[in-house]
């Protein structure tokens, strides 16, 4: 295919007003991949692809939408099933808006919408004005007796519906507060240092780096997969965990031995992002506040995920195509396989590495308050459970009176 014919097509493409900027970017990117990789031609090497992307901006001024308006689309309901539910229960849209005003995560939004939808169906589609606290009590009992759900799951349902009562129906829950399901407090199983060493020996590549990061810092799984390049400071050797559940950011030290692997990971992400941008894509989902103030930051390298997905996806809010973070199930699956290969009987998960970090840090003599800050616990009582593990591993200090007679 002659270069002039390709450029003529690109010129026509860049001046079309019936196509959005995103459609033009995708078309140019697809053509570039075709002429450079799938069926390499001289035209693919001669054309300045980046210049044609800029040509679109000069030919048709980019029309940007306010992120606040984008969130009003039905896609924000989390899934087609939830979006369909809003047709039957329009009050779920009010719930979605109440959640977004508080900047809760998309996962929390989806979970709350799902539980409240199930609750409204359980109430036999009555008018919301007729729903009272005793309906919540009946629903929680239904989940326990008829559905057989665990206390932790029932507690999640209670939290979602209580939020719905207080912030949408304007009916604060008071009488039932004592009947909220409580999960039993269990001492977590902790891997020994030898088991952690054997586990990490079985893991390589990006999953191996993530596993070492989890054990080396005590981060939670989602905190790890949601890390962005700007969160990693290799010079100061520290990581910033941002906006955890709407709370304050916290800084944690970066293990010395991970600096070089993380530097290589950053360079790999930078190369991949450059290729994506050359193909007309490369946007990333931004926090709501950042997206509202600086929507162009979606294409900046610093906001890209440290562990990006190998697949492209479309952002439900902005409609841009780019890479989200690696799916957490990918790491969990790799950890389980590695645990089996290492001969570890305990079922391995990302949380097991967090428990191991906390226990081993305490064993080294670290103050409990410092560990609380590293783990991001609000209440030191949550951190204190790791002292129970240590006490259980030691011999009881008191001898049995039976041995003294």
């Amino acid at each position: 295919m002659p270069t002039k014919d390709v450029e003529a097509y690109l010129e026509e493409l860049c001046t079309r007003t019936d196509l959005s900027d995103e459609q033009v970017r995708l078309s140019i990117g697809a053509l570039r991949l075709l002429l450079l990789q799938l069926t390499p031609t001289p035209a693919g090497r001669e054309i300045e692809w980046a210049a044609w992307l800029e040509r679109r901006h000069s030919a048709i001024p980019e029309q940007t939408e306010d992120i606040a308006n984008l969130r009003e689309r039905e896609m924000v309901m989390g899934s087609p099933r939830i979006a369909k539910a809003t047709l039957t229960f329009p009050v779920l849209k009010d719930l979605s808006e109440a959640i977004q005003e508080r900047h809760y995560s998309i996962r929390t939004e989806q979970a709350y919408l799902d539980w409240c939808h199930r609750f409204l169906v359980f109430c036999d589609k009555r008018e919301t004005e007729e729903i009272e606290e005793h309906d919540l009590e009946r629903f929680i009992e239904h989940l326990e007796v008829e559905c057989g759900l665990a206390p932790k799951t029932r507690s999640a349902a209670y939290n979602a519906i209580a939020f719905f009562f207080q912030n949408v129906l304007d009916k604060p829950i008071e009488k039932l507060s004592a009947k909220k399901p409580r999960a039993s407090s269990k001492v977590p199983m902790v891997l020994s240092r030898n088991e952690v060493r054997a586990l990490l020996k079985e893991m390589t590549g990006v999953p191996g780096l993530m596993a070492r990061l989890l054990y080396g810092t005590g981060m939670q799984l989602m905190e790890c997969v949601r890390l962005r390049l700007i969160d990693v400071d290799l010079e100061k050797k520290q990581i910033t965990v941002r906006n955890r559940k709407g709370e304050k950011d916290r800084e944690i030290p970066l293990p010395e031995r991970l600096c070089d692997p993380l530097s290589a990971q950053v360079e790999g992400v930078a190369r991949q992002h450059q290729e994506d941008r050359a193909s007309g894509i490369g946007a990333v989902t931004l926090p709501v506040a950042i997206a509202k103030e600086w929507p162009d930051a979606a294409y900046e390298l610093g906001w890209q995920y440290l562990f990006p997905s190998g697949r492209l996806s479309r952002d439900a809010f902005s409609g841009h195509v780019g890479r989200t973070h690696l799916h957490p199930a990918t790491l969990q699956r790799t950890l389980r396989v590695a645990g089996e290969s290492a001969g570890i009987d305990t079922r391995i998960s990302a949380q097991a590495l967090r428990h191991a970090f906390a226990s081993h840090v305490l064993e080294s003599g670290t103050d409990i308050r410092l560990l609380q800050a590293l783990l991001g616990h609000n209440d030191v009582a949550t951190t204190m459970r790791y002292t129970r593990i240590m006490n259980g591993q030691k011999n009881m200090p008191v001898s049995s009176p039976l041995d003294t007679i």
Side-chain angles (χ1 to χ4, degrees), residues 190-193 196 215 355-365:
V190 175
L191 300 174
S192 67
R193 295 177 186 270
V196 173
Y215 175 65
H355 293 328
F357 164 84
S359 299
H360 298 167
V361 164
L362 276 181
E363 289 175 1
S364 65

Side-chain angles (χ1 to χ4, degrees), residues 115-116 118-120 122-123 131-163 165 173 176-183:
W115 278 119
C116 291
R118 293 177 63 175
F119 173 65
L120 292 173
F122 175 81
C123 292
I131 297 177
E132 300 295 341
E133 291 182 1
H134 68 86
D135 292 311
L136 172 56
E137 187 175 10
R138 291 192 305 109
F139 182 65
I140 297 299
E141 183 179 355
H142 162 75
L143 295 180
E144 178 181 9
V145 178
E146 299 181 28
C147 300
L149 298 183
K152 187 175 182 179
T153 307
R154 302 199 307 272
S155 178
Y158 181 98
N159 290 337
I161 301 169
F163 180 93
F165 266 79
I173 299 295
L176 300 181
S177 58
K179 298 184 179 180
K180 177 180 177 180
R182 300 289 182 181

